[in-house]
Every structure is written in C-alpha cells, then in structure tokens.
Amino acid sequence: MPSIFIIPTSHGWNFVRSAAPVSVPARKGSDNEEGGREAAAGKPDQNGSWTVRKLQTLEDAVPLLSASDEFVLGLPVSAVIAQRFRLPSVDPAEFPEMIRLQIEKLLPFPADEVTSDFELITQNETESVVSAVAIRNEQLAEMASPLLNRGYIPRQITVYAAQRASTYAPKGNALLIYPEGEMLVYAMTENGKLSLARTIERDGDHLQLELPQLRLSAELQGIDASYPNVLLDETCYELREAVEGILTSPTEIVGIELPPAPVKLNLLPESWRRRRLQLTRQVEWQKRLIWIGGAYVGILVLLFAYLGFLRFQLGRLDRRIARDAPGTEFVRATEAKWKALAPALDPHYYPVEILQHLFESLPSGDVRITSYNQSARQISVDGEANTAALAYEFIDKTKKNPELRTFQFDMAAPRILPNNHAQFRLEGKPK
C-alpha cells in the first residue's frame, strides 16, 4: 500500500498521506492557517490513520513530497479517454495489442503518443469485456509538470473514478456521481471496473437532460443500466432528490475513501518508469554515500579521540618522568659509584680469588699460566699448553666455572710454537 494518494476533487486536489491515528473529529473542513506550508496547502484533516490536505493545484503538493515518497496520482475523468470493449476470448497476453489497435481507431493522433491500460470486467468462453483507459502523454506531462520539474514521479498514475469504483462497488453494477472541479462525473462501473465515464455540468436542468441520455448510451453499449446502486458524493447532497427523481433509484451518500482501494490501471509512461528507476537508484546511492560519509567521519572522530588520548597519556608520562627525575638521577649516580667500587668490594673481583679459580679450571699440569694482568675492567691471562686441544679445554672449563661467571671470557686461536706447544691468551671482561 503506497503511503500517499493525490486525487482530484471539486476544490482542486486532496493530498492523502498515511499518518498516526489521532483522537480528533474526522473531516474538520478546509480552514486555512497563517504562514508556512499550512497556509499554502490548507489545514490537514484527520481520518483514522490518514491525513487529508486540501490543495488548489498540484504545485501545492511539491513542498509536501520528498524524493523517497511512494505516491499514486489519480487523474480526473476529463483528462482521459475511457472505453469499454468486447473482445474474443483469447490469450490474455494478446489483450494489450488488441486494445491498442482498438484505441488507435478512436484517437486522432498516433498511438505512440498515448499511454493506455486496461482491466478485465468479465470473461466467458466466447468473449471478454474489458475496460480500457488512455491519455495523451503530452497532456499528462503538462498536468504533472509541477511534480516532474522537481523530480517527483508517481509510482502509479490511475483514474480516480476507477479508484472510487473499486472502493465502493467491487461487485455488480453501480453509478457514481461526484464532483471534479466545476463539473460532475457520471461514471458507470461493472465489478469495480470503469465502463462509462462522462462529465456534466452541476445543476438540476443539465442533470434532467443528461442523465437519461447517458443511461441510454450505456444500454446501447451493452451495459446493464438498471442501477442497483447509485452512489452520490457527500458534497453533492443537495442533488440527492433530483438524482433519485430522474433515475428512480435509491441514492447512497458516500464520502472520501481513506485510502482508495488499489486498482490495476496504470498510465505511467514507459519513459517515466525508466526515469523514476534512475531517480530511485540515485536516492539509494545518496543514502549509501551518506552512510559511508557518516562512517568515515565517525572513524576520523575516533581516530582523533585516540590520538588525543595518546597525547594526554604521553604528557602524563612526561610529567611523571620530570617529577621522578631527581630520584632517578640519584639512583643512577649511586649505581655508577657501586660499579666503580665493585672491584674493591666484591670478592669475585679479587685477583687472588680469580687466580685461584683459574688454577682450578686448568685441565692438567700440561697447561701452565705464565702471565696474569688485571685492571678495573679487564683481566688477561697468558699461558702455554702442550697441545692446542688442552688450551681449548682450559677456556671451556673457565667459562663453565660458576665462580668466574662475573666475567665473559674470550680467547683467540692459540699460537703454535716450534716445539708444538700452544701459546694462548685469555681475556675476560665483567658482564
């Protein structure tokens, strides 16, 4: 169900929009309010869950619409050609072409300048009765120009008489009489489909003259004109007695249908359909771009917030470092002093202790220490072994000695003497 209907009335147009139900009296009239949209479009009337605005022209509907609105435009009878056809009962898929050929015979201009549609009234084994409606594209574009100029294309363009017929007389035959502009619409319907539609002037003399002739015209077209149901619009209540006297049938008073019943008839030109599809896609892409832009802005906001938080944390750390700097400097200075005094205070740095542990690491008496030197930051040991393998065994045991773990020892390749002894030099540095 579309959310908006624009339908012709005696005062111009009614703008019917889906709205939340409100507890106010229905149909409060057409009092105008001052300023803004209410003054241009008229004061809205509430009826159930639908809001009715009275408009003088279609241009007044423009500020009430948006690009995403799904709306149906009902055309007045004076703008269309309505015809009832009898066709042989063939495949329904062939009806459009057959109806197009029939409409071509009625129109004084090419068929490609016209948009038409039809509804099936009845069908049996031998024939089908259809209701066909057509409108010239140029006339439709001129009528709907205020909407087209703003890019507002209806989802469906139909005939308001067909909407009223589907609403009030979905079964059987009926006669609808209601105003459109300064004229009265005389619409005969069969099973909720439009069979005959004419406009007549709104006064008793013309009714006395026109109604019998229209009844005769309907009978000549094969329409059952014995009206079981005569429906007169409530705005024409003063004509009730005249209509009943002319037609000798009871007359029922009806009001605005909210919303109108759906109908199949759709006079939307193919070029409008394509344009509407393009506009719908544009709106969808605009929404997507807005969402993408919003997400991008959100990410940027989060990023800047995170960067601000990091700067705040960095400043906080800088302040803590500056506050703790005197204590840190004291600890560093104390550590440097203890490192400088370590050789004198730590037993692991005593030369006697180091020599003792070096001698403990000698693999055998075939390895001898010939020289030992020690400074605050380095020790060096010269020695001689009967073989190079013994020299390597000595450095390996020195590195594994737990008492010498304070130092990191390295040894270059031993030098082989003429007597095949290996002369080596071992250097150690505090870790």
Side-chain angles (χ1 to χ4, degrees):
M1 174 67 68
S3 60
I4 297 174
F5 293 86
I6 303 177
I7 55 179
T9 62
S10 60
H11 57 264
W13 303 83
N14 272 347
F15 187 91
V16 184
R17 182 193 290 272
S18 176
V22 293
S23 56
V24 298
R27 301 178 55 79
K28 295 178 64 176
S30 58
D31 297 335
N32 290 331
E33 294 183 359
E34 295 181 358
R37 183 178 299 173
E38 296 295 333
K43 185 176 180 180
D45 297 334
Q46 298 288 346
N47 190 315
S49 60
W50 293 83
T51 300
V52 181
R53 290 178 182 267
K54 301 180 184 297
L55 311 178
Q56 292 184 355
T57 64
L58 279 181
E59 190 172 354
D60 294 334
V62 171
L64 306 177
L65 292 170
S66 64
S68 60
D69 282 337
E70 297 277 340
F71 68 98
V72 175
L73 177 62
L75 298 178
V77 168
S78 59
V80 302
I81 299 174
Q83 189 68 36
R84 181 179 184 269
F85 294 112
R86 289 183 181 273
L87 304 174
S89 286
V90 295
D91 184 356
E94 299 180 10
F95 281 172
E97 182 63 22
M98 297 176 66
I99 292 172
R100 187 183 67 82
L101 294 175
Q102 294 293 332
I103 291 177
E104 283 183 0
K105 299 176 184 179
L106 301 174
L107 300 178
F109 33 82
D112 56 359
E113 297 180 6
V114 174
T115 300
S116 62
D117 200 3
F118 71 95
E119 289 184 294
L120 183 64
I121 298 176
T122 60
Q123 186 177 34
N124 54 38
E125 295 180 355
T126 60
E127 68 175 6
S128 301
V129 180
V130 298
S131 169
V133 180
I135 186 171
R136 193 176 184 186
N137 294 337
E138 182 179 351
Q139 182 182 2
L140 178 60
E142 182 179 355
M143 181 183 299
S145 59
L147 304 177
L148 298 180
N149 293 339
R150 292 294 300 270
Y152 300 151
I153 300 178
R155 189 181 79 174
Q156 180 184 9
I157 297 178
T158 187
V159 183
Y160 181 47
Q163 292 176 294
R164 299 205 84 170
S166 179
T167 301
Y168 290 116
K171 299 295 182 182
N173 294 357
L175 170 62
L176 295 173
I177 300 177
Y178 65 93
E180 284 184 354
E182 297 179 355
M183 306 293 287
L184 282 179
V185 172
Y186 173 99
M188 295 197 62
T189 68
E190 298 174 273
N191 297 330
K193 312 300 188 297
L194 197 60
S195 296
L196 178 68
R198 300 289 187 271
T199 57
I200 56 179
E201 293 187 18
R202 184 174 178 173
D203 61 67
D205 293 338
H206 280 85
L207 288 177
Q208 190 72 33
L209 178 65
E210 296 285 348
L211 290 185
Q213 293 182 0
L214 291 173
R215 183 172 184 174
L216 178 60
S217 176
E219 291 176 347
L220 292 175
Q221 295 185 35
I223 304 172
D224 184 3
S226 57
Y227 311 125
N229 193 11
V230 179
L231 306 175
L232 181 66
D233 189 83
E234 62 182 356
T235 59
C236 303
Y237 182 81
E238 72 279 2
L239 301 176
R240 183 174 186 177
E241 292 185 3
V243 171
E244 288 182 342
I246 297 170
L247 300 178
T248 65
S249 298
T251 301
E252 181 183 351
I253 302 297
V254 296
I256 297 176
E257 55 285 332
L258 297 176
V263 295
K264 171 185 173 295
L265 289 177
N266 192 357
L267 300 176
L268 189 68
E270 185 60 30
S271 60
W272 293 24
R273 296 177 193 268
R274 293 193 296 268
R275 178 57 179 163
R276 186 175 185 275
L277 181 60
Q278 293 176 355
L279 293 175
T280 301
R281 290 177 176 173
Q282 289 178 3
V283 171
E284 291 177 354
W285 275 107
Q286 288 175 357
K287 290 181 179 178
R288 293 175 184 176
L289 291 175
I290 290 173
W291 278 105
I292 293 173
Y296 179 72
V297 171
I299 292 173
L300 287 180
V301 170
L302 291 176
L303 178 61
F304 283 121
Y306 179 68
L307 292 176
F309 176 74
L310 290 181
R311 292 189 63 180
F312 173 76
Q313 290 292 91
L314 183 61
R316 184 180 177 185
L317 291 175
D318 288 341
R319 290 190 295 272
R320 291 185 63 180
I321 291 172
R323 184 184 63 199
D324 298 339
T328 304
E329 187 62 29
F330 172 77
V331 172
R332 289 178 179 174
T334 303
E335 181 184 12
K337 291 179 180 179
W338 279 106
K339 286 183 178 180
L341 294 174
L345 301 177
D346 192 345
H348 291 94
Y349 290 96
Y350 292 170
V352 174
E353 294 289 334
I354 296 173
L355 280 173
Q356 174 65 29
H357 299 314
L358 287 173
F359 277 101
E360 292 174 354
S361 302
L362 293 173
S364 67
D366 294 334
V367 181
R368 297 168 295 279
I369 295 176
T370 59
S371 175
Y372 175 81
N373 295 301
Q374 181 177 357
S375 65
R377 291 299 172 191
Q378 184 175 358
I379 61 174
S380 61
V381 179
D382 295 327
E384 185 177 330
N386 288 356
T387 63
L390 289 172
Y392 283 112
E393 185 178 357
F394 172 60
I395 182 60
D396 185 58
K397 293 185 68 175
T398 302
K399 290 180 178 181
K400 294 179 179 180
N401 192 318
E403 299 298 331
L404 295 175
R405 64 181 179 275
T406 308
F407 297 91
Q408 180 178 353
F409 291 96
D410 292 302
M411 183 183 75
R415 186 166 66 90
I416 306 302
L417 300 177
N419 58 357
N420 289 329
H421 286 192
Q423 193 175 51
F424 59 87
R425 182 179 182 85
L426 186 67
E427 295 183 349
K429 295 181 180 180
K431 293 182 180 178

